[in-house]
Amino acid sequence: MTPGLGSRLTGKLLRQFGSPEEVFRASLTELEACHLPSVPAQAITSRQAYKDAEAELDRVRKLGFGLLNWSDPEYPQRLLEIYDPPPLLYVRGDVGVLNRHSISMVGTRRPTPYGNQVAERLGRDLADRGLTIVSGMARGVDSSAHQGACKASRGATVGVLGTGVDIIYPKENKRLFAEVERRGALISEFPLGSHPAPENFPVRNRVVAGMSLGVIVVQGAQYSGSLITARLGMEFGREVYGVPGNVTADVSFAPNQLIKQGAKLVTSWEDVIEELPTEIRAELFPIDDTSIEERTSLFVKALSQVERKVFGLLSVDESIHVDEVVEKSELSSSEVLAALCEMEMKGMVRQMPGKQFIKVLQ
C-alpha cells in the first residue's frame, strides 16, 4: 500500500480515473487536484506505487489468496450499497460465499457465559437455515458466532479482519481461522502483513455491517464497537436486532438500548428470519423443502395472541371479508384491523378488493 493512501482515498482515485492503470498514468497536477497528500501523489508519479502493487499481487498469488475489486462479480454486491466500500478485498477461502444471504453477529470481547451460548446457538441455527454468518473474528461473541456456524451441517461463515488475511489475530484463534477458511472465507481490505492497530477495527466494522441483511448485537457495553456496528447497519438500511440481557449487567447496555430504539428483540432464529424480505425467506425455505406446517409455524410462532387468532381464520385458497373475521374471532373491529394491518406489513396476508383478506403464507 502506498504510504498515506488508505482505502477511502484509493476508492476516490478509482472513481475519478476509472481504473488503476489510469491512476498510474495521471500527472502530479491531476492527483493533487483530487486532494491527494503529497507523499502518495509523488510515489504514484514516480512509479514506486506501481512496483509496490505488482509485488503485493505477486505475494497474494504465491499464498493462494484472492484479490477482488469493485468490478469483479465475486465482490460482495451488498457491500457496494454502502457509501465507502473497500476498493479491494483480500480473500482467503471460498469467494463463492461472499454473495450468499448473510447475517452479521457482533458483541463484546468479554461476554458472559450466557452471551457465548446465545451467540453460538444463533450462529448454528441461522447457518442451518442457509444464512452465512458474518463477524469480526475477535475474541468473545465474534468467535462464538463463527464456531456456531461451523457446527451447522451446511453452515458457512465469513470473518472480516482488521489485519491482513495472512495475520492470525488473536493468536488463540488459529484453529478457528482454519475452520472458517474451510467453511467460508476470511476477508480484509488491509494489505498483507498489516498487524492489528486500534484504528483498523472501526474501519473493519463498516464492512461487517455492510455485507449482510442485518446486524445482531448479542452483548456490548455503552461505548462498545458492537453498538457502532449496529448504528452503521442502520445507516446502511440494514435490519438491526438485539438479544435482551440482564439490565444490571454492563454488557447488556448495547442490545437493550437498541431494542428500546426499535431494534427487533431476538430470542431465537425465527425472530431473525421473520424480518427478512419475503423473496429471501422464499429462497431460504423453498416450498419443496419444507412442509406447510413447518413454514406456517416459522412465522405464526412470533405473532401476538390476537394476530394468531385472526391468522387462523384466514385461508390461502379463499378470501374472507373483514366483517366475517370480526364476527368469528369475537374481537373488536379495531383489534382485527390492527392485526391484519400488522400481518400485511409482514407479508403474511394480502388485502383483496372489497376488504377481503387471504393468507399468503403456506
Side-chain angles (χ1 to χ4, degrees), residues 30 70 188 294:
E30 289 173 319
W70 291 336
S188 176
E294 288 172 330

Side-chain angles (χ1 to χ4, degrees), residues 91-105 119-120 122-124 126-128 130-138 141-161 175-187 208 211-212:
V91 184
R92 180 174 175 174
D94 180 11
V95 297
V97 304
L98 301 182
N99 278 296
R100 295 181 188 172
H101 297 311
S102 60
I103 286 289
S104 295
M105 199 179 309
E120 185 171 324
L122 280 174
R124 182 198 66 221
L126 290 168
D128 255 337
L131 285 166
T132 297
I133 303 301
V134 176
S135 198
M137 291 299 297
V141 166
D142 288 17
S143 293
S144 294
H146 290 301
Q147 287 164 356
C150 290
K151 289 180 179 178
S153 59
R154 57 172 181 155
T157 184
V158 173
V160 185
L161 309 182
R175 184 174 296 178
L176 181 60
F177 266 64
E179 185 66 10
V180 171
E181 182 179 4
R182 189 177 72 84
R183 299 292 292 270
L186 297 158
I187 65 173
V208 174
M211 279 195 62
S212 300

Side-chain angles (χ1 to χ4, degrees), residues 2-23:
T2 304
L5 190 61
S7 175
R8 191 165 294 183
L9 277 176
T10 302
K12 184 177 180 180
L13 289 176
L14 287 173
R15 280 188 286 267
Q16 178 68 28
F17 295 101
S19 71
E21 290 79 10
E22 291 303 316
V23 173

Side-chain angles (χ1 to χ4, degrees), residues 99-280:
N99 278 296
R100 295 181 188 172
H101 297 311
S102 60
I103 286 289
S104 295
M105 199 179 309
V106 296
T108 178
R109 287 175 169 81
R110 294 178 292 277
T112 63
Y114 162 79
N116 276 327
Q117 290 170 22
V118 169
E120 185 171 324
R121 188 189 72 185
L122 280 174
R124 182 198 66 221
D125 290 349
L126 290 168
D128 255 337
R129 273 78 191 180
L131 285 166
T132 297
I133 303 301
V134 176
S135 198
M137 291 299 297
R139 296 182 180 96
V141 166
D142 288 17
S143 293
S144 294
H146 290 301
Q147 287 164 356
C150 290
K151 289 180 179 178
S153 59
R154 57 172 181 155
T157 184
V158 173
V160 185
L161 309 182
T163 65
V165 291
D166 57 331
I167 303 295
I168 296 176
Y169 177 80
K171 292 294 185 183
E172 65 265 25
N173 272 357
K174 183 176 181 180
R175 184 174 296 178
L176 181 60
F177 266 64
E179 185 66 10
V180 171
E181 182 179 4
R182 189 177 72 84
R183 299 292 292 270
L186 297 158
I187 65 173
S188 176
E189 64 186 286
F190 300 103
L192 296 177
S194 296
H195 289 276
E199 62 269 20
N200 290 0
F201 296 97
V203 174
R204 181 273 311 271
N205 289 347
R206 86 190 192 292
V207 177
V208 174
M211 279 195 62
S212 300
L213 295 160
V215 179
I216 305 172
V217 177
V218 178
Q219 287 186 327
Q222 185 171 0
Y223 302 107
S224 68
S226 56
L227 197 53
I228 295 171
T229 306
R231 287 172 177 161
L232 285 169
M234 291 179 191
E235 289 180 21
F236 300 155
R238 308 309 192 231
E239 293 290 342
V240 176
Y241 308 85
V243 175
N246 184 337
V247 296
T248 65
D250 291 341
V251 291
S252 298
F253 180 90
N256 288 352
Q257 180 72 9
L258 289 167
I259 292 167
K260 283 165 59 176
Q261 294 172 349
K264 176 64 183 288
L265 188 152
V266 172
T267 59
S268 68
W269 64 270
E270 291 97 336
D271 298 325
V272 178
I273 297 291
E274 70 175 7
E275 293 299 309
L276 300 182
T278 303
E279 62 274 14
I280 292 176

Side-chain angles (χ1 to χ4, degrees), residues 1-2 20-21 24 47-62 67 88 90 192:
M1 181 74 77
T2 304
E21 290 79 10
F24 287 115
R47 307 292 288 176
Q48 183 57 46
Y50 190 83
K51 293 176 183 176
D52 291 344
E54 283 188 320
E56 180 80 351
L57 185 57
D58 188 52
R59 288 195 294 270
V60 169
R61 288 169 176 158
K62 285 180 178 177
L67 190 60
L88 290 174
Y90 295 77
L192 296 177

